[in-house]
Amino acid sequence: MASLQNLICSVSKRLVAPNHAVTAKLNGAPPSVVSASSSEASMDEKIVTKRRLALLGAGALATGLLKTSSAIAEEVPENFKSYVDAKDGYSYLYPAEWRDFDFLGHDSAFKDRNLALQCVRVGFTPTDKTDIRDLGPMDEAIFNLVNNVYAAPNQIPSIYDMQERTVDGKNYWTFEYDLEAPGYGVSAFATVAIGNGRYYTLIVTANERRWSRLRNRLKVVADSFKLSDLTA
């Protein structure tokens, strides 16, 4: 059971072969929901409809451009705590009741005390790129990232919301996705950004069955991720 939880709550550090079950293609602007398997469309129609309503209710805009000031980004809402790593140049919020833990291949991580699948983690790798936009069009880059990096061969990915925001001149992409596998599913937000010669990734996840109750709270975590200049 522990190995299953670690699998669901982890991001692969290696590229896997493309998932050949994926048939959806992005032509121009992406739809609000990108399903990675057309064969699952009828089975998941009710789930997708509920997710669309949730997105609309929360005011989410697909591929929206959000501009945020540092003053707003630094506010700590009630029931959240702030994690700041000045040495590695990033910060984010996490639920106050979560505790830190060691997560292989990541620089920092926090999880729910009782439900290990509810967790947030941050990792980074060196890059010669200077901005997240250097990866190419947002919809294409995120589609390839979820399909070829995040999804294991036995998982079917679906991408829901994509947003770009700008904080203090730095660009961030935040997106919502599901990874479906036989017997279980995980939902997540990911925020990616480039700075300090590093490609940063924050991912916050929960069991798909609990996602509707947790989504708005975990979106706060994803939207709070911010880079800073490295300290000497």
Side-chain angles (χ1 to χ4, degrees):
M1 184 63 180
S3 61
L4 175 59
Q5 292 179 338
N6 289 335
L7 173 63
I8 298 175
C9 193
S10 65
V11 177
S12 174
K13 284 301 181 180
R14 53 180 170 75
L15 288 178
V16 298
N19 188 334
H20 294 292
V22 174
T23 57
K25 295 183 180 179
L26 299 180
N27 295 314
S32 59
V33 177
V34 178
S35 178
S37 175
S38 59
S39 64
E40 298 291 332
S42 59
M43 296 176 60
D44 295 336
E45 183 178 359
K46 293 184 179 179
I47 296 176
V48 170
T49 300
K50 290 180 180 179
R51 181 63 59 82
R52 282 173 172 163
L53 292 175
L55 290 173
L56 291 173
L61 298 175
T63 62
L65 176 62
L66 306 178
K67 292 187 179 294
T68 308
S69 69
S70 58
I72 295 176
E74 291 173 359
E75 293 180 358
V76 179
E78 186 178 0
N79 299 321
F80 285 87
K81 290 184 178 180
S82 177
Y83 178 83
V84 179
D85 188 339
K87 178 181 177 182
D88 290 309
Y90 69 90
S91 62
Y92 60 93
L93 301 176
Y94 64 93
E97 71 276 13
W98 288 14
R99 62 182 179 85
D100 66 311
F101 73 110
D102 293 329
F103 200 96
L104 183 64
H106 293 77
D107 189 64
S108 64
F110 294 85
K111 67 179 179 179
D112 186 277
R113 293 179 180 274
N114 300 312
L115 300 171
L117 298 184
Q118 294 173 201
C119 64
V120 59
R121 68 271 190 190
V122 172
F124 52 81
T125 56
T127 181
D128 57 0
K129 300 183 184 302
T130 59
D131 188 275
I132 197 67
R133 293 177 177 176
D134 295 340
L135 299 179
M138 179 172 66
D139 52 1
E140 295 179 9
I142 290 175
F143 184 85
N144 290 332
L145 183 64
V146 173
N147 181 46
N148 295 331
V149 180
Y150 296 172
N154 68 326
Q155 292 177 319
I156 299 175
S158 296
I159 303 170
Y160 293 95
D161 187 40
M162 302 181 191
Q163 297 179 339
E164 179 179 284
R165 60 186 169 91
T166 302
V167 181
D168 295 336
K170 294 182 174 64
N171 297 313
Y172 302 78
W173 290 347
T174 296
F175 49 97
E176 179 182 2
Y177 64 94
D178 289 341
L179 297 177
E180 294 282 352
Y184 70 90
V186 61
S187 297
F189 285 114
T191 296
V192 294
I194 291 178
N196 302 316
R198 298 173 174 180
Y199 173 53
Y200 294 84
T201 301
L202 174 146
I203 295 183
V204 56
T205 66
N207 186 296
E208 187 181 37
R209 295 179 180 179
R210 295 178 57 83
W211 189 248
S212 61
R213 286 175 285 176
L214 298 171
R215 181 187 182 278
N216 290 347
R217 194 179 191 205
L218 300 187
K219 184 65 158 56
V220 172
V221 177
D223 286 343
S224 72
F225 187 62
K226 181 182 175 185
L227 303 186
S228 60
D229 294 333
L230 295 180
T231 58

